[in-house]
Amino acid sequence: MTVAFALLVAAGCGREQAEAPAVEPAADAARQVDGSVTISGDDRLAGSLTWRAPRVALAEGDEALVAALDRAGEALEAGDLEASADSAIPLYLAVLERDPGSKPAAEGLERSLSALLAQGAAALGRAGDDDDALHRARMVAAVARSLRPAEQRVRDYLADVDRAEHLAEINQAAERELRAGRLGESGDGALARVREALALDEDQPRALQLRAAVESAMIRRAEDAASAGDFDGAAEWLDHAEAVRGGAGAVADARTRLDTRRRAWILRLRDEGIAALPRAGGIEDARALLARMLVLAEPGNAAVAELRERIDLAVHYGNFRPGQRFTDRAGGGRGPQMVVVPHGGFSMGAADADRDAEDSERPRRNLRFDRGFALSLTEITVGEFRRFVDATGYRTRAERRGFSMAYDERSGNFVRRSRVDWRMDFAGARAADDLPVLHVSARDAQAYVDWLAEVSGERYRLPSEAEFEYALRAGGTGRYPWGDGPPPEGVGNLTGDKDRSPGGRGWSNAFEDYDDGHWGPAPVGSFTPNAFGLHDLEGNVSEWVADCWHDSYRRAPASGAAWVNPGCRMQVVRGGAWASSPAQTRSSWRAPSPVDNTNARVGFRVARDI
């Protein structure tokens, strides 16, 4: 039985008593017990359910009564109604005990009761989420009942307290269920208690808070299920959560988050499937992951299609396909973007009719690559080389010796310039991250590929000379990478007779009527890729390859692998550059360079075995 309901029962008063005189019930209900006021002797309640007025000691004489009335009035004005012997109600009761006919005391007591009920009503307004407020409302109930047990306003207030206590009990039961994890998705538990409370008071604050807490707990369970990959279970929990408040915004937001997480799971399964393919038994593992993706994904999902295609390629063509672009994880980031060069054959070296060919470009020989390989989409950039330097602390040859060869606008030549290294562009100014890295030696390039192989776990290396020319020709047989005629517009960063330096210089030996818009290297990938999907092989910067220099192709490896002699001091440079003459842009052109040489025309790209 709640406190307020017990008080109503104990009062034992019918509705007909509500019209009793305003003063008399209080006087009749009280009796003197050692100077204190207590409830009448037929009251069955005891202890905390009974209010005992604090003892008020009054001196003899009318002056003491007047002083007590003054003190009571001040206490009433201050809202101090019943807590101590100096509070309004105990003082008015003490005066009425001494002088039952005191009209000021009776009127003051009446005003005090009204103020007390107002305080109680205010406390009840906070009782939904404030236990101290409910305790105050109970105290007001005890005091009001002792003063006017038969008055309707008191009885109504006691009924309100009873309802508040009943709501508090229901909410406490809901909180216990919630703490125990019994949310009520099956019709019982915390949600049932909350609905019981809201049926009594649809605006009850604590019940509303608990309803929101039940919804949040269901959403958390949905998210936990999604984290474990159980998206069917997650959807069921969100359906339960939606039923709590009828599709509140929190559930819609959670559905959006779970859909995002579901897509992330699909992508993760795709990545796991792709990663599984190179392993022994990896195809079957990838198929199992694909089956899980099909359960989660909508029809037509791109990630599903990608893994399915990769599985088909692994079954029929290995783990890659010709022209495929990919990157490897490398040192906490991604490695250079790579392109798969298809297997095939070509004729390496200069044709007999090539008037610009040198003996080092012959004899022409036929080579075949029975397995594809990968080349970086572009030359290695300044930004990519910076990742290597930051990760290793490596110091390039140009840094250690303090200079490199840079372009000088005043003379139009390449000159030795101090404090120029891989961070600089062709003229020695600070280079943007998307420019090809310059001022690197063959050994610097080798250090980069060694690091890349180590951090990626893949077989990265410098391309062989044969691989470079095969990729440069991209199936063509002409004098130049694009054929035998003049360069098409946008084919690459070449020397054109319309090119102009910042100071207005032009080239004395250049392709007629050609202008690529750049004096110096362009940002990588600025021009049209070739038939194999690779950029800048024909121009932009010349590139280090892995081969040591040999004066001809006699006795060169028939496999197309790099021709390397231990300790060689000269290495091969291939491909045209932004400052190369037309003859140096031919597909078969090659040149020797000391392995420690650095300048503004030579960079490199990387190869990878697949």
Side-chain angles (χ1 to χ4, degrees):
M1 181 184 295
T2 64
V3 172
F5 183 66
L7 291 171
L8 279 170
V9 172
C13 299
R15 181 173 295 275
E16 66 276 4
Q17 293 175 293
E19 302 302 324
V23 177
E24 292 179 1
D28 291 345
R31 60 188 176 87
Q32 188 72 28
V33 181
D34 297 330
S36 64
V37 178
T38 188
I39 305 304
S40 57
D42 62 353
D43 193 345
R44 295 190 299 274
L45 299 178
S48 63
L49 305 187
T50 300
W51 181 71
R52 295 175 61 87
R55 178 173 180 173
V56 177
L58 293 180
E60 297 296 329
D62 293 341
E63 291 183 359
L65 293 180
V66 172
L69 288 171
D70 290 342
R71 288 160 51 203
E74 292 173 357
L76 174 58
E77 184 70 22
D80 179 9
L81 302 178
E82 88 292 343
S84 69
D86 291 323
S87 300
I89 291 174
L91 287 168
Y92 285 130
L93 288 174
V95 171
L96 287 170
E97 180 70 18
R98 179 76 63 81
D99 181 7
S102 173
K103 185 176 180 180
E107 292 175 348
L109 186 61
E110 186 68 17
R111 292 195 305 274
S112 296
L113 176 60
S114 297
L116 182 71
L117 291 175
Q119 288 186 2
L124 283 177
R126 303 190 305 274
D129 53 3
D130 185 346
D131 291 338
D132 290 338
L134 183 57
H135 177 75
R136 174 61 182 159
R138 288 170 177 161
M139 177 59 68
V140 169
V143 176
R145 175 185 164 278
S146 74
L147 297 176
R148 298 284 192 274
E151 282 194 19
Q152 188 61 43
R153 60 174 176 166
V154 173
R155 293 168 62 82
D156 290 344
Y157 174 75
L158 294 177
D160 290 341
V161 174
D162 181 66
R163 186 177 66 154
E165 291 185 321
H166 185 42
L167 284 169
E169 289 179 353
I170 296 172
N171 286 334
Q172 289 168 2
E175 289 170 347
R176 288 193 296 271
E177 297 280 15
L178 187 59
R179 286 195 297 270
R182 295 186 289 270
L183 304 183
E185 66 279 3
S186 300
D188 199 8
L191 185 57
R193 304 288 83 75
V194 167
R195 286 173 172 164
E196 183 182 352
L198 291 174
L200 295 173
D201 182 356
E202 64 181 9
D203 296 320
Q204 211 277 327
R206 182 167 292 184
L208 292 173
Q209 292 171 359
L210 285 168
R211 185 175 67 175
V214 170
E215 179 189 70
S216 296
M218 290 178 173
I219 290 173
R220 283 196 300 274
R221 289 195 180 179
E223 291 174 338
D224 290 343
S227 296
D230 180 11
F231 288 92
D232 289 340
E236 289 181 10
W237 277 112
L238 286 184
D239 289 342
H240 292 314
E242 192 168 40
V244 172
R245 289 197 291 174
V251 179
D253 292 343
R255 288 192 189 279
T256 299
R257 292 196 302 274
L258 260 64
D259 188 56
T260 299
R261 187 171 293 183
R262 179 182 58 81
R263 292 196 300 270
W265 261 83
I266 292 169
L267 294 176
R268 191 176 84 177
L269 291 171
R270 178 204 62 187
D271 292 343
E272 289 177 0
I274 292 172
L277 288 172
R279 301 195 297 262
I283 290 175
E284 293 307 314
D285 292 342
R287 283 174 171 160
L289 292 165
L290 177 63
R292 292 173 60 188
M293 291 174 67
L294 290 169
V295 173
L296 300 177
E298 298 293 332
N301 181 273
V304 169
E306 181 182 1
L307 181 56
R308 182 184 286 118
E309 181 182 7
R310 294 293 289 268
I311 291 172
D312 289 341
L313 288 169
V315 169
H316 299 291
Y317 308 107
N319 297 318
F320 296 90
R321 64 179 181 271
Q324 176 184 339
R325 295 184 182 185
F326 69 93
T327 60
D328 291 313
R329 292 183 177 87
R334 307 297 300 190
Q337 191 168 18
M338 306 296 292
V339 178
V340 176
V341 177
H343 73 282
F346 81 116
S347 294
M348 181 178 180
D352 292 339
D354 188 345
R355 61 185 180 278
D356 291 320
E358 299 181 2
D359 290 343
S360 61
E361 300 172 29
R362 297 187 174 101
R364 199 171 199 192
R365 61 202 186 111
N366 294 324
L367 290 177
R368 181 168 186 83
F369 296 100
D370 292 326
R371 183 174 180 84
F373 57 94
L375 284 180
S376 55
L377 177 68
T378 67
E379 308 99 333
I380 297 303
T381 66
V382 173
E384 288 167 335
F385 199 80
R386 177 177 286 107
R387 280 192 59 221
F388 156 62
V389 172
D390 289 345
T392 63
Y394 181 82
R395 297 185 73 235
T396 63
R397 174 64 173 168
E399 286 179 279
R400 286 182 282 113
R401 71 185 177 189
F403 70 89
S404 185
M405 301 297 290
Y407 176 75
D408 178 56
E409 174 67 22
R410 288 198 308 171
S411 65
N413 295 318
F414 290 90
V415 299
R416 174 171 163 170
R417 183 163 293 168
S418 299
R419 294 185 296 278
V420 171
D421 57 36
W422 63 269
R423 300 174 182 84
M424 286 30 172
D425 67 6
F426 75 106
R430 181 67 63 173
D433 276 359
D434 62 352
L435 286 173
V437 67
L438 301 171
H439 309 293
V440 287
S441 69
R443 289 173 174 170
D444 297 333
Q446 187 63 50
Y448 175 86
V449 295
D450 289 345
W451 168 80
L452 187 58
E454 178 181 0
V455 297
S456 67
E458 303 294 344
R459 291 170 293 180
Y460 280 94
R461 53 184 174 77
L462 289 176
S464 72
E465 185 176 5
E467 288 171 333
F468 189 97
E469 186 171 333
Y470 173 66
L472 174 68
R473 290 184 180 275
T477 59
R479 171 180 168 85
Y480 299 107
W482 55 86
D484 290 323
E489 181 179 355
V491 72
N493 185 7
L494 314 173
T495 52
D497 65 4
K498 291 185 176 181
D499 289 343
R500 290 295 178 266
S501 75
R505 288 182 177 276
W507 301 112
S508 59
N509 185 10
F511 288 104
E512 184 178 353
D513 201 31
Y514 187 78
D515 180 9
D516 52 51
H518 293 275
W519 189 275
V524 299
S526 297
F527 297 91
T528 305
N530 71 5
F532 285 171
L534 296 161
H535 289 272
D536 302 325
L537 286 164
E538 66 287 303
N540 216 30
V541 297
S542 299
E543 301 177 25
W544 290 109
V545 294
D547 299 63
C548 294
W549 175 255
H550 296 86
D551 291 338
S552 74
Y553 292 135
R554 292 182 179 87
R555 298 185 300 278
S559 65
W563 189 2
V564 178
N565 305 111
C568 69
R569 301 290 300 171
M570 301 290 286
Q571 212 153 306
V572 179
V573 171
R574 293 298 303 252
W578 62 275
S580 295
S581 68
Q584 294 170 335
T585 312
R586 292 174 303 110
S587 298
S588 60
W589 177 81
R590 59 195 295 259
S593 182
V595 295
D596 286 331
N597 192 34
T598 65
N599 60 59
R601 293 177 54 175
V602 179
F604 69 100
R605 73 179 65 217
V606 297
R608 177 193 184 281
D609 292 334
I610 58 174

